[in-house]
Amino acid sequence: MKLKYIYYAACLAGAMAFASCSDDDIDHSVSVIIDSGRVENDFDRWLYHELVLPYNIEVKYRYEDIESDMDYQLVPADYQKSIQLTHLMKFLCLEAYDEITGSKDFMRSYFPKMIVMTGSAAWQNNGSKVLGQAEGGRKITLFEVNEMDPTNIALLTEQYFHTIHHEFAHILHQTIPYDPSFDQISGSMYRGDNCFDYYTTDARAQQDGFITRYSATEGAEDFVEIISMYVTNTPEYWDNVMATAGDGAKIIEQKFNIVYNYMNDTWNIDLNTLRDIVQRRSVEAVDLDVDDLTIPSDEKPEEIPLS
Ligand SMILES: [Zn+2]
């Protein structure tokens, strides 16, 4: 089943108003908000040290109605699978950008602040399933976490990390726009939601100058698909796509030049270097201990000696 990306524009449903009330009879030593028996576990502590403190990113793996999509029937994410996927996402996405930018500041500034994990796939009426979706620049939801195999990096990249790179690239161009001439290269060839009906294979889309079928939706999707496809695939894969594309290769290369210059000039990120990093990490990821919840001792708060 082909992964389908859904990008929802952030939508403000109206400001919530909190009525003020008298604080008579309130015990200020106890929170008035009662959590339903939630106990902090090793994964919570690891997340706090490895994602909240350095990046200000919250991973929600416990099922919460308010953060899930009411349009689908969904089941909670498995605890161990959530740990494994978080490790891999951190290693293959966050730390790849850390490596090229030289610090965690870039991802701390721009990466979505919330990752929501859900156990099952989100099935749509047309029989396709959604494996990842993003809302504005705030939240990324990853579905079907319970089915994932932490050793199959290629499949995980196709299912999840491609989507994460795709969504993150949206945040970058929404922060600083790309050259509008990009959208004119394919101009009236963009087909909106009909792209999957019109192009039945990626090869057909590539022959028309789109790196994937989804690229044919609109300019912004085309732009971020090029970034994501470029960094999550090997140079050999890219060369094969160009060979498949035939006359379309010239169009893809023309678009790629704009994408490459945008990333290089705007964000000081060389896509060739980023691709090398992501590809190297994809090989190394097989040896990663994806179940490890050890917090490095130098990151633990200093213990105060007893007097
Ligand atoms: Zn998108």
Side-chain angles (χ1 to χ4, degrees):
M1 201 63 67
K2 184 65 196 170
L3 170 63
K4 189 169 181 185
Y5 312 102
I6 291 189
Y7 188 82
Y8 292 121
C11 135
L12 290 174
M16 289 176 70
F18 291 93
S20 63
C21 55
S22 162
D23 63 357
D24 291 351
D25 304 325
I26 289 178
D27 177 354
H28 288 280
S29 66
V30 180
S31 171
V32 294
I33 300 165
I34 308 294
D35 200 312
S36 55
R38 180 176 148 175
V39 177
E40 190 184 65
N41 57 38
D42 287 347
F43 187 29
D44 294 325
R45 283 183 281 276
W46 184 87
L47 285 171
Y48 180 73
H49 281 89
E50 298 296 305
L51 286 162
V52 176
L53 283 181
Y55 298 105
N56 194 23
I57 294 170
E58 181 183 16
V59 173
K60 282 186 181 278
Y61 64 94
R62 291 183 174 91
Y63 194 78
E64 293 180 25
D65 275 356
I66 196 165
E67 296 298 351
S68 70
D69 194 325
M70 297 297 184
D71 289 343
Y72 305 109
Q73 290 195 342
L74 302 168
V75 303
D78 177 78
Y79 178 76
Q80 208 60 36
K81 296 279 188 187
S82 301
I83 294 170
Q84 294 165 348
L85 188 55
T86 304
H87 263 290
L88 290 166
M89 179 196 72
K90 178 171 174 277
F91 187 73
L92 292 169
C93 301
L94 296 170
E95 291 174 356
Y97 274 94
D98 293 350
E99 191 176 328
I100 195 168
T101 60
S103 86
K104 292 179 166 65
D105 295 347
F106 186 69
M107 296 311 256
R108 185 180 174 86
S109 299
Y110 297 112
F111 199 78
K113 296 287 174 274
M114 190 190 295
I115 306 290
V116 179
M117 301 214 177
T118 301
S120 51
W123 287 96
Q124 298 186 299
N125 289 337
N126 63 7
S128 66
K129 61 181 174 182
V130 180
L131 293 181
Q133 76 185 25
E135 292 172 37
R138 186 183 77 89
K139 176 173 108 178
I140 289 179
T141 305
L142 303 175
F143 296 99
E144 211 173 34
V145 171
N146 295 358
E147 301 301 317
M148 76 106 185
D149 170 5
T151 65
N152 193 341
I153 304 300
L155 184 60
L156 291 173
T157 297
E158 195 183 322
Q159 290 183 329
Y160 299 112
F161 308 130
H162 175 95
T163 305
I164 292 173
H165 284 286
H166 171 114
E167 299 301 344
F168 184 58
H170 272 310
I171 293 174
L172 297 184
H173 78 73
Q174 284 161 357
T175 304
I176 301 179
Y178 58 79
D179 182 345
S181 69
F182 179 92
D183 289 5
Q184 277 142 36
I185 296 173
S186 285
S188 60
M189 300 277 282
Y190 289 114
R191 300 184 180 276
D193 291 342
N194 291 328
C195 62
F196 287 104
D197 295 328
Y198 189 80
Y199 293 115
T200 51
T201 63
D202 279 338
R204 276 290 301 118
Q206 286 154 4
Q207 283 153 15
D208 276 356
F210 301 108
I211 195 68
T212 61
R213 292 193 289 165
Y214 193 62
S215 282
T217 311
E218 61 174 40
E221 299 302 338
D222 199 3
F223 192 86
V224 302
E225 277 288 275
I226 289 174
I227 294 176
S228 184
M229 287 297 286
Y230 197 73
V231 302
T232 60
N233 288 292
T234 62
E236 295 72 31
Y237 178 94
W238 190 264
D239 291 344
N240 282 338
V241 168
M242 291 304 125
T244 302
D247 289 344
K250 284 196 219 74
I251 302 169
I252 296 172
E253 278 161 10
Q254 193 184 352
K255 291 175 182 173
F256 178 77
N257 284 338
I258 294 176
V259 171
Y260 178 86
N261 290 333
Y262 166 83
M263 289 299 284
N264 200 50
D265 300 346
T266 310
W267 301 107
N268 200 22
I269 288 172
D270 179 327
L271 279 181
N272 290 318
T273 308
L274 182 60
R275 175 171 70 175
D276 288 347
I277 291 169
V278 172
Q279 293 307 308
R280 193 198 75 238
R281 284 175 171 268
S282 298
V283 174
E284 293 170 350
V286 179
D287 297 323
L288 201 65
D289 183 355
V290 291
D291 298 300
D292 183 32
L293 292 178
T294 313
I295 297 164
S297 57
D298 59 349
E299 289 184 28
K300 281 181 185 160
E302 269 183 48
E303 283 187 34
I304 300 163
L306 295 169
S307 56

